[in-house]
Amino acid sequence: SNSASPDPEVPILDGSAAQFARVIAGNVKLSHPETRLPIVKVIKPIFIEDKAETGATAELLPLDAEEGIDISKMLVVSISLDSYNNKLPARNIERYTFDSLQTWINEVGQARTFVFESEVESLRRNNLGIGGSLRNCVVYDDVSNSSPGGKVKVLNRQGLRNTDEWLWHKLLDVYGDLSLIRPLGILNAHFRAFRPGHSINNQVLHALENNKDSFVIL
Protein backbone atom coordinates (compact mmCIF):
# COMPACT_ATOMS: atom_id res chain seq x y z
CA SER A 1 0.00 0.00 0.00
CA ASN A 2 1.06 3.61 -0.60
CA SER A 3 -0.57 4.63 2.65
CA ALA A 4 1.44 6.04 5.53
CA SER A 5 -1.34 5.07 7.93
CA PRO A 6 -0.37 2.58 10.69
CA ASP A 7 -3.60 0.65 10.06
CA PRO A 8 -3.40 -2.23 7.56
CA GLU A 9 -5.16 -1.46 4.28
CA VAL A 10 -5.97 -3.35 1.14
CA PRO A 11 -3.75 -1.86 -1.61
CA ILE A 12 -5.69 0.66 -3.70
CA LEU A 13 -4.08 -0.54 -6.97
CA ASP A 14 -5.92 1.39 -9.71
CA GLY A 15 -8.82 2.43 -7.48
CA SER A 16 -11.17 -0.27 -8.72
CA ALA A 17 -11.83 -3.95 -8.01
CA ALA A 18 -10.99 -5.23 -11.50
CA GLN A 19 -7.53 -6.59 -10.70
CA PHE A 20 -8.75 -8.35 -7.56
CA ALA A 21 -11.71 -9.87 -9.41
CA ARG A 22 -9.54 -11.19 -12.24
CA VAL A 23 -7.08 -12.81 -9.83
CA ILE A 24 -9.90 -14.41 -7.83
CA ALA A 25 -11.59 -15.64 -11.01
CA GLY A 26 -8.37 -17.27 -12.14
CA ASN A 27 -7.67 -19.04 -8.86
CA VAL A 28 -10.99 -20.02 -7.30
CA LYS A 29 -13.37 -22.75 -8.43
CA LEU A 30 -16.54 -20.75 -7.91
CA SER A 31 -18.84 -23.67 -8.67
CA HIS A 32 -17.09 -26.28 -6.50
CA PRO A 33 -19.67 -27.80 -4.11
CA GLU A 34 -17.36 -27.50 -1.11
CA THR A 35 -17.05 -23.73 -1.60
CA ARG A 36 -20.80 -23.07 -1.59
CA LEU A 37 -22.07 -21.03 1.33
CA PRO A 38 -25.50 -21.08 2.98
CA ILE A 39 -28.09 -18.63 1.67
CA VAL A 40 -29.28 -15.77 3.89
CA LYS A 41 -32.80 -15.27 2.55
CA VAL A 42 -34.53 -12.06 3.62
CA ILE A 43 -38.19 -12.79 4.45
CA LYS A 44 -39.19 -9.50 6.13
CA PRO A 45 -38.28 -5.96 4.97
CA ILE A 46 -35.53 -4.04 6.75
CA PHE A 47 -35.47 -0.24 6.38
CA ILE A 48 -32.85 2.26 7.56
CA GLU A 49 -32.88 6.05 7.24
CA ASP A 50 -30.10 8.50 8.03
CA LYS A 51 -32.14 11.60 8.86
CA ALA A 52 -29.43 13.57 10.65
CA GLU A 53 -26.49 13.24 8.25
CA THR A 54 -27.02 12.55 4.56
CA GLY A 55 -30.71 11.81 4.21
CA ALA A 56 -29.72 8.41 2.84
CA THR A 57 -32.08 5.44 2.97
CA ALA A 58 -31.49 1.74 2.47
CA GLU A 59 -33.70 -1.32 2.61
CA LEU A 60 -33.53 -5.06 2.14
CA LEU A 61 -36.64 -6.65 0.65
CA PRO A 62 -37.66 -10.26 0.05
CA LEU A 63 -37.18 -11.05 -3.63
CA ASP A 64 -40.37 -13.05 -3.94
CA ALA A 65 -42.39 -10.07 -2.67
CA GLU A 66 -41.87 -8.12 -5.90
CA GLU A 67 -43.25 -8.85 -9.33
CA GLY A 68 -40.90 -9.01 -12.27
CA ILE A 69 -37.80 -10.08 -10.31
CA ASP A 70 -36.13 -13.40 -10.91
CA ILE A 71 -36.01 -14.83 -7.39
CA SER A 72 -33.28 -17.27 -8.38
CA LYS A 73 -30.83 -14.35 -8.37
CA MET A 74 -28.92 -14.13 -5.12
CA LEU A 75 -28.87 -10.34 -4.95
CA VAL A 76 -30.74 -7.63 -6.83
CA VAL A 77 -29.56 -4.04 -6.39
CA SER A 78 -31.33 -0.75 -7.11
CA ILE A 79 -29.61 2.53 -6.24
CA SER A 80 -30.50 6.17 -6.77
CA LEU A 81 -28.16 9.16 -6.43
CA ASP A 82 -28.88 12.86 -6.52
CA SER A 83 -26.63 15.46 -8.15
CA TYR A 84 -24.18 16.14 -5.29
CA ASN A 85 -25.37 19.76 -5.16
CA ASN A 86 -25.45 20.02 -8.97
CA LYS A 87 -21.90 18.72 -9.35
CA LEU A 88 -22.95 15.53 -11.13
CA PRO A 89 -26.14 14.49 -12.92
CA ALA A 90 -28.69 12.58 -10.86
CA ARG A 91 -28.64 8.93 -11.83
CA ASN A 92 -30.11 5.56 -10.86
CA ILE A 93 -29.57 1.86 -11.53
CA GLU A 94 -32.64 -0.37 -11.39
CA ARG A 95 -32.61 -4.05 -10.48
CA TYR A 96 -29.00 -4.85 -11.31
CA THR A 97 -28.13 -8.54 -11.10
CA PHE A 98 -24.90 -10.49 -11.38
CA ASP A 99 -25.00 -12.43 -14.67
CA SER A 100 -21.35 -13.26 -15.31
CA LEU A 101 -18.03 -12.31 -13.75
CA GLN A 102 -16.67 -10.76 -16.96
CA THR A 103 -19.77 -8.60 -17.42
CA TRP A 104 -19.59 -7.55 -13.76
CA ILE A 105 -15.91 -6.56 -14.13
CA ASN A 106 -16.63 -4.54 -17.27
CA GLU A 107 -19.63 -2.73 -15.80
CA VAL A 108 -18.96 -2.55 -12.06
CA GLY A 109 -15.56 -3.91 -11.11
CA GLN A 110 -13.50 -1.50 -13.20
CA ALA A 111 -15.21 1.63 -11.83
CA ARG A 112 -12.68 3.66 -9.82
CA THR A 113 -13.22 5.50 -6.59
CA PHE A 114 -13.84 9.24 -7.02
CA VAL A 115 -13.43 12.52 -5.21
CA PHE A 116 -14.17 16.21 -5.75
CA GLU A 117 -11.16 18.51 -5.91
CA SER A 118 -12.66 20.70 -3.19
CA GLU A 119 -12.49 17.73 -0.78
CA VAL A 120 -8.84 16.80 -1.30
CA GLU A 121 -7.27 19.26 1.16
CA SER A 122 -9.68 18.31 3.95
CA LEU A 123 -9.09 14.59 3.36
CA ARG A 124 -5.32 14.98 3.58
CA ARG A 125 -5.59 17.15 6.69
CA ASN A 126 -7.42 14.26 8.33
CA ASN A 127 -4.91 11.66 7.12
CA LEU A 128 -7.41 10.21 4.65
CA GLY A 129 -6.90 9.37 1.01
CA ILE A 130 -3.17 8.89 1.57
CA GLY A 131 -1.67 7.55 -1.65
CA GLY A 132 -4.57 8.79 -3.73
CA SER A 133 -3.68 10.27 -7.11
CA LEU A 134 -4.96 10.65 -10.65
CA ARG A 135 -3.57 7.16 -11.29
CA ASN A 136 -6.05 5.50 -8.94
CA CYS A 137 -8.90 7.94 -8.40
CA VAL A 138 -11.30 9.91 -10.58
CA VAL A 139 -11.02 13.58 -9.58
CA TYR A 140 -13.82 15.98 -10.47
CA ASP A 141 -12.87 19.65 -10.73
CA ASP A 142 -15.68 21.33 -8.82
CA VAL A 143 -13.42 24.30 -7.99
CA SER A 144 -13.01 26.02 -11.34
CA ASN A 145 -15.42 24.16 -13.62
CA SER A 146 -18.62 23.66 -11.67
CA SER A 147 -21.81 24.66 -13.42
CA PRO A 148 -25.55 24.81 -12.62
CA GLY A 149 -26.12 22.17 -15.31
CA GLY A 150 -24.71 19.45 -13.12
CA LYS A 151 -21.51 18.83 -15.07
CA VAL A 152 -17.95 19.18 -13.86
CA LYS A 153 -14.69 18.47 -15.64
CA VAL A 154 -12.79 15.24 -15.01
CA LEU A 155 -9.14 16.03 -14.24
CA ASN A 156 -7.87 12.59 -15.25
CA ARG A 157 -6.19 12.97 -18.64
CA GLN A 158 -7.57 9.67 -19.95
CA GLY A 159 -11.10 10.49 -18.85
CA LEU A 160 -13.64 7.98 -17.58
CA ARG A 161 -13.67 4.24 -18.17
CA ASN A 162 -17.41 4.22 -18.78
CA THR A 163 -20.33 6.62 -18.65
CA ASP A 164 -21.20 7.62 -15.09
CA GLU A 165 -18.21 5.78 -13.64
CA TRP A 166 -18.91 7.36 -10.25
CA LEU A 167 -22.37 5.73 -10.20
CA TRP A 168 -20.95 2.31 -11.04
CA HIS A 169 -18.37 2.70 -8.27
CA LYS A 170 -21.22 3.32 -5.83
CA LEU A 171 -22.69 0.02 -7.00
CA LEU A 172 -19.29 -1.60 -6.46
CA ASP A 173 -19.28 -0.25 -2.89
CA VAL A 174 -22.69 -1.85 -2.32
CA TYR A 175 -21.41 -5.25 -3.43
CA GLY A 176 -18.36 -4.94 -1.19
CA ASP A 177 -20.29 -3.76 1.85
CA LEU A 178 -23.07 -6.35 1.57
CA SER A 179 -20.52 -9.14 1.15
CA LEU A 180 -19.58 -8.58 4.81
CA ILE A 181 -22.53 -10.81 5.68
CA ARG A 182 -20.55 -13.75 4.25
CA PRO A 183 -19.81 -15.34 7.66
CA LEU A 184 -23.54 -16.14 7.69
CA GLY A 185 -23.84 -16.94 3.98
CA ILE A 186 -24.78 -15.38 0.63
CA LEU A 187 -27.39 -12.62 0.78
CA ASN A 188 -30.64 -13.30 -1.09
CA ALA A 189 -32.59 -10.04 -1.23
CA HIS A 190 -33.43 -6.90 -3.16
CA PHE A 191 -31.27 -4.04 -1.83
CA ARG A 192 -32.69 -0.59 -2.58
CA ALA A 193 -31.01 2.63 -1.56
CA PHE A 194 -31.03 6.38 -2.04
CA ARG A 195 -27.59 7.98 -1.63
CA PRO A 196 -25.92 4.67 -0.73
CA GLY A 197 -22.63 4.85 1.11
CA HIS A 198 -20.49 2.69 3.36
CA SER A 199 -22.25 3.90 6.51
CA ILE A 200 -25.86 3.29 5.47
CA ASN A 201 -24.93 0.02 3.73
CA ASN A 202 -23.31 -1.19 6.94
CA GLN A 203 -26.25 -0.06 9.06
CA VAL A 204 -28.79 -2.04 7.06
CA LEU A 205 -26.68 -5.20 7.43
CA HIS A 206 -26.46 -4.70 11.20
CA ALA A 207 -30.22 -4.16 11.33
CA LEU A 208 -30.73 -7.41 9.44
CA GLU A 209 -28.45 -9.35 11.79
CA ASN A 210 -30.17 -7.83 14.84
CA ASN A 211 -33.63 -8.86 13.58
CA LYS A 212 -33.37 -12.64 13.49
CA ASP A 213 -36.96 -13.07 12.32
CA SER A 214 -36.24 -11.06 9.17
CA PHE A 215 -34.21 -13.83 7.49
CA VAL A 216 -33.75 -17.56 7.28
CA ILE A 217 -30.63 -19.59 6.55
CA LEU A 218 -31.06 -22.08 3.72
Side-chain angles (χ1 to χ4, degrees):
S1 171
N2 294 325
S3 173
S5 169
D7 297 323
E9 288 186 335
V10 175
I12 191 171
L13 299 181
D14 69 346
S16 79
Q19 291 171 272
F20 291 106
R22 291 190 183 105
V23 169
I24 292 171
N27 290 277
V28 177
K29 295 180 179 179
L30 298 179
S31 61
H32 195 286
E34 293 180 4
T35 66
R36 291 177 183 168
L37 295 172
I39 296 171
V40 182
K41 181 176 176 58
V42 172
I43 57 174
K44 291 183 180 180
I46 294 289
F47 178 82
I48 294 292
E49 182 176 12
D50 185 358
K51 294 180 179 179
E53 296 282 334
T54 63
T57 63
E59 57 186 334
L60 289 167
L61 301 166
L63 283 185
D64 51 7
E66 299 189 31
E67 294 183 6
I69 287 186
D70 182 356
I71 62 173
S72 69
K73 301 294 185 184
M74 284 296 96
L75 180 64
V76 177
V77 179
S78 299
I79 61 174
S80 179
L81 291 161
D82 58 10
S83 62
Y84 282 90
N85 296 319
N86 287 328
K87 295 178 182 181
L88 295 170
R91 289 286 187 267
N92 66 284
I93 295 175
E94 286 293 328
R95 297 182 175 184
Y96 185 90
T97 58
F98 182 100
D99 290 318
S100 74
L101 182 59
Q102 191 55 56
T103 299
W104 185 88
I105 291 174
N106 292 340
E107 292 178 338
V108 183
Q110 70 167 351
R112 295 161 294 176
T113 189
F114 67 94
V115 69
F116 294 105
E117 188 179 12
S118 62
E119 300 171 333
V120 172
E121 184 178 342
S122 174
L123 287 170
R124 288 178 173 167
R125 250 195 334 263
N126 289 282
N127 201 35
L128 299 171
I130 304 299
S133 72
L134 292 173
R135 293 190 303 274
N136 52 38
C137 181
V138 176
V139 181
Y140 289 97
D141 179 6
D142 62 332
V143 175
S144 60
N145 290 284
S146 58
S147 70
K151 293 182 179 180
V152 294
K153 179 182 177 182
V154 175
L155 293 180
N156 305 65
R157 187 173 299 176
Q158 296 178 341
L160 299 176
R161 291 180 174 175
N162 53 25
T163 304
D164 298 327
E165 186 174 350
W166 63 283
L167 175 66
W168 290 103
H169 187 81
K170 281 291 187 180
L171 183 58
L172 172 60
D173 284 343
V174 168
Y175 271 95
D177 294 337
L178 297 187
S179 72
L180 295 176
I181 199 152
R182 284 301 174 90
L184 289 179
I186 301 172
L187 187 61
N188 178 237
H190 183 187
F191 174 84
R192 276 201 317 220
F194 171 67
R195 293 183 180 173
H198 294 302
S199 177
I200 195 79
N201 299 345
N202 188 263
Q203 288 177 53
V204 81
L205 271 193
H206 278 288
L208 178 69
E209 293 178 341
N210 290 332
N211 289 272
K212 304 298 185 184
D213 63 342
S214 63
F215 66 92
V216 293
I217 305 292
L218 303 177

